[in-house]
């Protein structure tokens, strides 16, 4: 995470694809970066994509910003120092993204997950208007400007009917490859009121992307509100754990057998320990959830995928290999830089110590199998 941690040991880590014979590129050819974050420069940038009524509403209510409170613009981890522009903004233009990611690491595709505070709004109609504007802005300002870019559909998850309408509105554009929600919303994601969203995901070949972040309807820890941002960010894995349990226990994968869920920026290494506990107690308590007819570990390996930045593990090849072994699957990890969040320094975007075969799966095969709209195998 920090410069001290990632930078100090960078030199000894083996993670450059050029060492595996992938000439001229950091990765196997065809790599797909599954987590990029374009920054909305200001609320004014979205006004042209709102109709007159909502523009007036923004003015009358004095809305000055919908910055995601989960990523304060000035916080060090929100953007790497060398990726910030003159006024501190990062990932504000497609030119910046090209120079710092697309042309530097040459991925075949990059998937944009825009984290703007649409989910913070209590007015469901205003949230829907901003989700629409945000997706229009991403289309015009990013997707139309670089053919390597794809994006997630940001939905007003506060209201399933409105979220569904936004999915249906975007589904005709194949450059939208995923539906995006935050790890901590108003209700657990397994609850039935969300199920029409999952039906739409299945129908259109869209995984559900669950990204770190909160709508702040509830405290970000199960104990109440923390005092510091470091507690907020570190606690996100608790929300991911609860969402995995909710989606499985409520029977989502019995109802939607082809649904894939991508956990974005979750940290990854919390999963094996959690699954051990979850699977153990499922064995003892499964009579209350008869529709969960196999171990949660098996269900997770079939239905869940995780992006690799950040990877919460020491920067030591042997430890990383052991951690990845604990997942008991080579199909679960997806390459992501999490640009411009500060998860690593230099070009150390891949975990150290992984075999060329596994790196190829993480960078190319697994993303293609996860996102059918990228032209790979359907789930
Ligand atoms: Zn991210």
């Amino acid at each position: 995470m920090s410069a001290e941690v990632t930078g100090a040991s960078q030199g000894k880590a083996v993670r450059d694809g050029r060492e595996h014979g992938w000439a001229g590129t950091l990765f196997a050819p065809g790599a797909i970066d599954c987590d990029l974050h374009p920054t909305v420069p200001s609320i004014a940038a979205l006004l042209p994509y709102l109709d007159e009524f909502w523009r007036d509403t923004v003015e009358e209510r004095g809305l000055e910003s919908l910055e995601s409170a989960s990523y304060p613009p000035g916080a060090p981890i929100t953007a790497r120092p060398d990726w910030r522009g003159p006024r501190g903004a990062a990932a504000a233009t497609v030119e910046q993204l090209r120079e710092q990611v697309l042309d530097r690491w040459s991925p075949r595709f990059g998937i944009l997950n825009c984290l703007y505070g649409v989910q913070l709004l209590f007015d469901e109609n205003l949230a829907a208007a901003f989700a629409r504007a945000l997706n229009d802005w991403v289309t015009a300002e990013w997707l139309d400007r670089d053919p390597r870019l794809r994006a997630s559909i940001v939905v007003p998850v506060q209201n399933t009917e409105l979220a569904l309408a936004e999915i249906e509105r975007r589904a005709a554009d194949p450059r939208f490859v995923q539906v995006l929600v935050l790890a901590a919303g108003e209700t657990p994601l397994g609850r039935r009121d969300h199920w029409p969203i999952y039906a739409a995901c299945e129908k259109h070949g869209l995984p559900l992307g669950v990204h770190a972040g909160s709508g702040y309807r509830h405290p970000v820890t199960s104990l109440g509100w923390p005092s510091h941002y470091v507690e907020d960010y570190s606690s996100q894995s608790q929300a991911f754990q609860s969402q995995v349990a909710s989606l499985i226990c409520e029977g989502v994968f019995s109802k939607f057998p082809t649904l894939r869920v991508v956990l974005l920026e979750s940290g990854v290494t919390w999963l094996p320990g959690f699954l051990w506990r979850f699977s153990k107690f499922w064995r003892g308590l499964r009579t209350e959830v008869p529709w969960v007819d196999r171990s949660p570990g098996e269900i997770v390996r079939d239905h869940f995928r995780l992006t690799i930045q950040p990877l919460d593990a020491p920067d030591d090849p042997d430890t990383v290999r052991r951690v990845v072994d604990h997942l008991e699957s080579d199909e679960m990890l997806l390459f992501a830089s999490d640009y411009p969040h500060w998860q690593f320094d230099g070009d150390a975007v891949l975990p150290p110590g992984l075999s060329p075969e596994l790196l190829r799966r993480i960078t190319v095969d697994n993303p293609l199998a996860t996102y059918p709209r990228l032209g790979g195998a359907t789930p």
Side-chain angles (χ1 to χ4, degrees), residues 35 37 211 265 338 341:
D35 193 26
H37 301 296
H211 195 281
E265 203 182 316
D338 195 27
H341 298 164

